[in-house]
Amino acid sequence: LITMRVRDAPSVATALWLETLLGRKVGASTGTNMWGVLQLAVRMREEGRSGSIVTLLCDSGERYLETYYNPQWVAANIGDISPWQGQIAGIMRPK
């Protein structure tokens, strides 16, 4: 069992990344969950381990159109998520 704390900025950045990847909006809970999955995958890659990671999409993002999917709201309430978006892009680059 792995426990980690995930701040709002990486959760929102991951949710927005998933929207572009999946073509559907997801909520911040799914962003939080997937951020954890990405961190686990990085750890596994660094340790030379292989395996499967299974997760679920926790929530739909349709109810967050005025918040997490509104760049002005995110900037005012969450802050700059670009460092987290860059980190996700770095994780997804093939090694």
Side-chain angles (χ1 to χ4, degrees):
L1 177 66
I2 297 173
T3 303
M4 69 178 68
R5 297 188 118 193
V6 179
R7 295 177 20 203
D8 290 341
S11 295
V12 172
T14 307
L16 296 175
W17 167 72
L18 278 171
E19 178 194 18
T20 61
L21 184 70
L22 302 175
R24 63 180 283 192
K25 290 176 176 32
V26 298
S29 296
T30 296
T32 300
N33 182 39
M34 192 63 191
W35 177 260
V37 166
L38 291 172
Q39 299 312 300
L40 177 58
V42 166
R43 247 188 247 170
M44 288 174 66
R45 181 170 56 194
E46 289 171 349
E47 294 171 0
R49 296 185 322 177
S50 63
S52 299
I53 302 171
V54 178
T55 191
L56 302 171
L57 297 181
C58 308
D59 53 346
S60 168
E62 299 305 319
R63 64 182 163 198
Y64 302 110
L65 297 177
E66 297 300 317
T67 56
Y68 302 132
Y69 289 94
N70 177 330
Q72 292 79 23
W73 187 93
V74 170
N77 294 279
I78 304 294
D80 182 13
I81 63 170
S82 63
W84 305 104
Q85 291 170 316
Q87 193 169 346
I88 293 167
I91 292 169
M92 299 313 296
R93 277 189 212 106
K95 295 281 178 177

